Amino acid sequence: MSDSRLFKILYYLLDKGRATASELADRFEVSIRTVYRDVEALSSAGVPIYTEPGRNGGICLLHEFTLDRAILSQNEKQEVLTALQSISASGYSSGEEILTKLSALFHMDTENWIEVDFSHWGNKGWDDSKFEKLKTAVIHHKEIKILYENTRSETRERVVQPLKLSFKSKEWYLKAFCLEKQDFRIFKLNRILELELLEKIFVPRPWPEQENDSLPSCPGIVLLFSKEIGYRVYDEFDKTQVERQKNGDLKVCTEMPVDPWLTGYLLSFGTEVEIVEPEYLREMVAAQAKSIYEKNKP
């Protein structure tokens, strides 16, 4: 009998509430008979575990049951505290209180060795307020009204059903169902200019399984950066995408969504970048640079 499997069954039941013997057997790759032996072993160890007959029955834990703190190792306790330290800076206002309680419960001092701050410079108050409202909306399934600046520089008011907050590539995003478009959309938090938490409750829709988290990407984008801008290249791209040339310049092979944001992004490097491929992207950026020059020439 595996003690590790017993704990895994326990954690699974704590998370799901109940499970059938066949469900546990499939998940832990053992026979149903073994599952019932594990249930008996847990019960003998004092865990309030029981089975309910019938179509809606299964293997359950008493509702009030909680794990003793001793089950966590010292390293695991420190990992929990470290995770709370980092996430509290993202705008989770209750993090500090929970951190204090768990530190006392674990009899451990919190090692303040990490600091994470996702807010803008000089704008932490608004970022914290926005994050807290979005967290409330997602957890309690409340619709929100937002004023959003899209990639075409259009400011639009939307009512959306927020499903999840997502952090990817150094940016926060909101995954939501847009009532106007009647479709799933991703909103960049920085572009949410105003936010109102509504009272209307919604039933969350499952996020589509297909990979639609971003615009279609263009493969085969090749960029050549001067060595003087190397520090920024490694800020923006994974090192596996970067190849240093003999003269110190940096060649980047990547794929990115081709939209107005991309041309503006490449222009932000000024003369320190050359678009090697594809040719049409090179022409798009050149045309945009020419327009900028025409608008600002003396």
Side-chain angles (χ1 to χ4, degrees), residues 57-266:
I59 300 169
C60 318
L61 293 170
L62 283 181
H63 182 67
E64 297 82 6
F65 176 71
T66 57
L67 287 175
D68 188 86
R69 68 187 182 198
I71 288 178
L72 294 175
S73 69
Q74 288 296 105
N75 283 340
E76 288 170 334
K77 292 175 185 177
Q78 189 61 63
E79 290 295 330
V80 170
L81 297 179
T82 298
L84 278 173
Q85 278 182 307
S86 61
I87 202 171
S88 63
S90 69
Y92 183 45
S93 59
S94 302
E96 194 66 34
E97 181 181 351
I98 297 173
L99 183 63
T100 301
K101 288 180 179 179
L102 285 181
S103 299
L105 182 65
F106 294 163
H107 298 294
M108 295 180 69
D109 293 329
T110 56
E111 298 291 339
N112 192 20
W113 64 276
I114 186 171
E115 181 177 349
V116 182
D117 191 348
F118 296 118
S119 64
H120 286 81
W121 289 104
N123 196 30
K124 184 173 174 58
W126 163 236
D127 284 346
D128 285 354
S129 172
K130 184 194 302 184
F131 196 94
E132 186 65 25
K133 286 181 180 179
L134 288 173
K135 181 197 73 174
T136 300
V138 171
I139 292 174
H140 297 289
H141 311 312
K142 289 191 172 186
E143 292 183 355
I144 57 172
K145 183 190 295 183
I146 63 173
L147 189 65
Y148 190 73
E149 181 88 4
N150 63 27
T151 55
R152 296 182 296 278
S153 297
E154 300 168 338
T155 304
R156 294 283 188 269
E157 189 173 86
R158 303 276 189 92
V159 175
V160 303
Q161 297 174 342
L163 302 174
K164 184 181 292 185
L165 286 167
S166 174
F167 185 75
K168 185 173 182 178
S169 188
K170 298 181 285 187
E171 295 287 353
W172 280 105
Y173 298 89
L174 171 68
K175 294 183 175 182
F177 185 83
C178 178
L179 296 181
E180 177 187 336
K181 300 295 184 181
Q182 283 296 297
D183 200 1
F184 296 93
R185 290 290 188 269
I186 297 178
F187 301 94
K188 198 171 184 178
L189 259 61
N190 288 344
R191 297 182 190 153
I192 297 178
L193 308 180
E194 295 179 10
L195 189 157
E196 180 184 350
L197 189 63
L198 305 178
E199 291 302 318
K200 187 172 181 181
I201 306 297
F202 66 92
V203 177
R205 308 163 194 252
W207 185 262
E209 292 185 5
Q210 64 267 26
E211 187 62 36
N212 65 345
D213 285 5
S214 62
L215 295 169
S217 292
C218 171
I221 293 179
V222 181
L223 308 170
L224 188 63
F225 295 91
S226 66
K227 57 187 177 184
E228 285 77 17
I229 203 76
Y231 66 92
R232 187 175 167 192
V233 172
Y234 286 109
D235 279 347
E236 306 287 344
F237 299 95
D238 187 87
K239 67 178 183 179
T240 59
Q241 299 175 310
V242 182
E243 179 184 341
R244 187 173 292 277
Q245 306 299 290
K246 289 182 179 180
N247 65 351
D249 290 347
L250 300 169
K251 180 181 177 183
V252 172
C253 299
T254 186
E255 59 179 66
M256 303 175 78
V258 178
D259 63 355
W261 174 86
L262 179 58
T263 55
Y265 171 74
L266 293 173

Side-chain angles (χ1 to χ4, degrees), residues 272-283:
E272 305 296 338
V273 64
E274 176 189 351
I275 301 165
V276 180
E277 295 178 14
E279 182 64 27
Y280 75 86
L281 179 58
R282 183 184 182 99
E283 293 171 356

